[in-house]
Amino acid sequence: ADGGKVHFNGGQVDYIEDPYGLRTTIEYVNGRRCRVTEPGGRCLIFTYNTADPDGTSLLTKVEAYDYYNGHRVDWVSYTYTSKPSGGSGPNKMMLTGVSYSDGTSATYDYTTDNVPENGTSHKMYPLLQRCDDVRYNGPMRIIVYDYQNGFPHGFIWREKYPNIGPVST
């Protein structure tokens, strides 16, 4: 909408040019985004160290560096834990923790898939059950989800705030 242009190379974005001709560059290693540098020279560096059993690479850290000194000015790291689907599907690596450079953190917990396990339907993916995120800028920094069993994957029945009860049904 602002007149910027996104440039693709080999099916991936390699830079974004703003209306003034300034470019934000995006670099890849082995097909994964590894660095984004804005016109002023500041950059984000992405690190992948974990893989799901299905081979999916999982982001484990993002670091922000300043232009002038090349110092790391901020970071966030992600942890994953193998969680069961509750049926015939394999365990999946699920995001269970986020740590921020300011010492705060977020945690996530999961429950088993809500779909029926039968000849035509299989429990394949764990479902997010609880989020505790101190950096969320709102009143519900803790949220709990209840899923309706026997319904399509992820059919949320209730959204709750602990010790208060449902906020939506």
Side-chain angles (χ1 to χ4, degrees), residues 63-91:
E63 298 170 290
Y65 287 86
D66 68 12
Y67 172 71
Y68 298 106
N69 299 314
H71 293 110
R72 184 172 71 172
V73 294
D74 205 1
W75 59 265
V76 60
S77 62
Y78 306 94
T79 54
Y80 303 85
T81 304
S82 180
K83 296 289 184 176
S85 66
S88 60
N91 283 10

Side-chain angles (χ1 to χ4, degrees), residues 104-108 130-145 160-162 167:
T104 60
S105 63
T107 58
Y108 306 91
R130 181 182 172 119
C131 306
D132 291 77
D133 190 346
V134 298
R135 291 185 105 189
Y136 175 71
N137 191 20
M140 293 183 59
R141 293 181 176 187
I142 300 172
I143 189 81
V144 176
Y145 298 104
K160 300 185 294 188
Y161 187 73
V167 294

Side-chain angles (χ1 to χ4, degrees), residues 35-165:
R35 184 182 187 108
V36 175
T37 306
E38 56 95 26
R42 295 176 298 183
C43 71
L44 297 174
I45 296 177
F46 301 87
T47 304
Y48 306 81
N49 283 335
T50 304
D52 193 62
D54 68 6
T56 303
S57 295
L58 303 172
L59 182 67
T60 55
K61 185 178 268 190
V62 179
E63 298 170 290
Y65 287 86
D66 68 12
Y67 172 71
Y68 298 106
N69 299 314
H71 293 110
R72 184 172 71 172
V73 294
D74 205 1
W75 59 265
V76 60
S77 62
Y78 306 94
T79 54
Y80 303 85
T81 304
S82 180
K83 296 289 184 176
S85 66
S88 60
N91 283 10
K92 298 293 288 178
M93 294 297 286
M94 304 301 291
L95 178 68
T96 52
V98 179
S99 298
Y100 302 100
S101 60
D102 66 1
T104 60
S105 63
T107 58
Y108 306 91
D109 198 12
Y110 297 83
T111 187
T112 56
D113 202 333
N114 66 315
V115 300
E117 182 81 16
N118 57 42
T120 59
S121 177
H122 303 285
K123 296 179 180 291
M124 297 297 291
Y125 298 99
L127 296 168
L128 182 63
Q129 184 172 40
R130 181 182 172 119
C131 306
D132 291 77
D133 190 346
V134 298
R135 291 185 105 189
Y136 175 71
N137 191 20
M140 293 183 59
R141 293 181 176 187
I142 300 172
I143 189 81
V144 176
Y145 298 104
D146 286 336
Y147 298 90
Q148 181 63 40
N149 287 326
F151 275 68
H153 173 78
F155 185 95
I156 296 175
W157 186 248
R158 262 189 304 266
E159 189 177 40
K160 300 185 294 188
Y161 187 73
N163 303 321
I164 301 294

